[in-house]
Amino acid sequence: MLKLYTWTTPNGRKVSIALEELGLDYEVIPVNTGEREQFSDAFLAINPNHKIPAIEDKGQAIWESGAILLHLAEKYDPEGRILSKEPRKRMEAIQYAFFQTGGVGPNLGRLGAALRKEGEKNQEMLEIFGGEMDRLCGVIDRVLENGDRDYLAGEYSIGDIMHFPWLRIAQGIGADWVISRPRLVGWLDRIAARPAVERGMAIPAQ
Ligand SMILES: N[C@@H](CCC(=O)N[C@@H](CS)C(=O)NCC(=O)O)C(=O)O
């Protein structure tokens, strides 16, 4: 059975959502990053980059959420439920998945770290990463508007799954650059309404 190494953080939830969308059986192995379990020898043997998520599929360890979603789609998605089989649509979905790993992922990650820092906040960090999040959300808004789309690549895909857990948190805490954009909010609410997304967001059970 597939093994999922994960924790209660947005990157882990991308993978549990994809596994739920595909209806796959998997074993959840919690790696409590707050307790630094990602630095155990056992986990470093799975992911030398000491980060969740990671999976093991028939003895093969795979890490980086984007690579994991691509692997799951290529191997377990014959109907194109999370990655279209039509070449142009497929590449567009992959484009949005990469866009997340270079955009919303690192910028929101650093913004979150700056906000969580105890004591006086570093205003420069908040401005740089907050400003970049505003710009990135503007890009997403434009994609949804110009293409008159319900989802980034037209139909639901790994491109949406990659963004959702991160931006849903930002929406939940009332980040301006999300909640001031009704199209973006509508897109997040549409994704949230999917039963597989609801199940995936509850993993690991806490
Ligand atoms: N680019 C990675 C980022 C993964 C990541 O940042 N994971 C965080 C939790 S959301 C983590 O495990 N941090 C622990 C650490 O850096 O030691 C991916 O997309 O999988």
Side-chain angles (χ1 to χ4, degrees):
M1 192 195 294
L2 272 160
K3 290 183 182 169
L4 168 63
Y5 297 82
T6 191
W7 191 236
T8 57
T9 53
N11 285 312
R13 274 150 182 179
K14 299 168 181 173
V15 180
S16 41
I17 289 172
L19 288 162
E20 293 292 334
E21 291 284 4
L22 297 175
L24 294 170
D25 282 335
Y26 59 102
E27 178 189 354
V28 177
I29 302 166
V31 179
N32 185 336
T33 52
E35 299 288 335
R36 299 176 65 80
E37 289 177 5
Q38 70 275 30
F39 293 102
S40 70
D41 289 344
F43 187 68
L44 286 174
I46 305 289
N47 183 358
N49 193 33
H50 59 80
K51 288 182 194 293
I52 63 93
I55 63 166
E56 263 185 295
D57 186 1
K58 300 194 172 71
Q60 182 181 11
I62 305 169
W63 43 277
E64 278 298 317
S65 55
I68 297 170
L69 262 53
L70 206 45
H71 170 81
L72 295 176
E74 284 186 341
K75 198 162 168 186
Y76 299 109
D77 189 17
E79 292 160 18
R81 282 194 249 175
I82 60 169
L83 184 58
S84 175
K85 297 289 163 199
E86 198 275 304
R88 287 179 77 108
K89 286 188 188 158
R90 174 187 157 80
M91 191 41 66
E92 209 177 342
I94 293 171
Q95 165 190 284
Y96 288 114
F98 274 62
F99 174 62
Q100 193 279 336
T101 58
V104 166
N107 285 287
L108 193 41
R110 285 183 191 124
L111 182 61
L115 286 169
R116 283 192 303 273
K117 194 167 181 293
E118 285 179 21
E120 203 180 325
K121 311 281 181 223
N122 181 330
Q123 289 306 320
E124 197 185 349
M125 298 271 281
L126 296 181
E127 274 166 34
I128 291 173
F129 297 119
E132 184 60 2
M133 281 312 303
D134 186 35
R135 190 190 70 79
L136 290 166
C137 285
V139 172
I140 293 174
D141 200 35
R142 211 157 41 242
V143 168
L144 296 171
E145 181 187 16
N146 289 352
D148 192 17
R149 293 174 167 199
D150 282 345
Y151 299 103
L152 290 176
E155 56 195 55
Y156 181 68
S157 76
I158 60 171
D160 304 294
I161 298 175
M162 290 288 285
H163 284 88
F164 175 77
W166 281 101
L167 292 178
R168 190 66 169 170
I169 292 177
Q171 180 188 8
I173 61 171
D176 249 22
W177 25 267
V178 174
I179 62 168
S180 65
R181 294 186 162 101
R183 245 184 318 269
L184 205 98
V185 169
W187 167 64
L188 291 172
D189 289 348
R190 223 167 1 258
I191 299 171
R194 299 177 68 88
V197 171
E198 194 179 334
R199 291 194 300 275
M201 287 295 280
I203 288 171
Q206 267 287 73

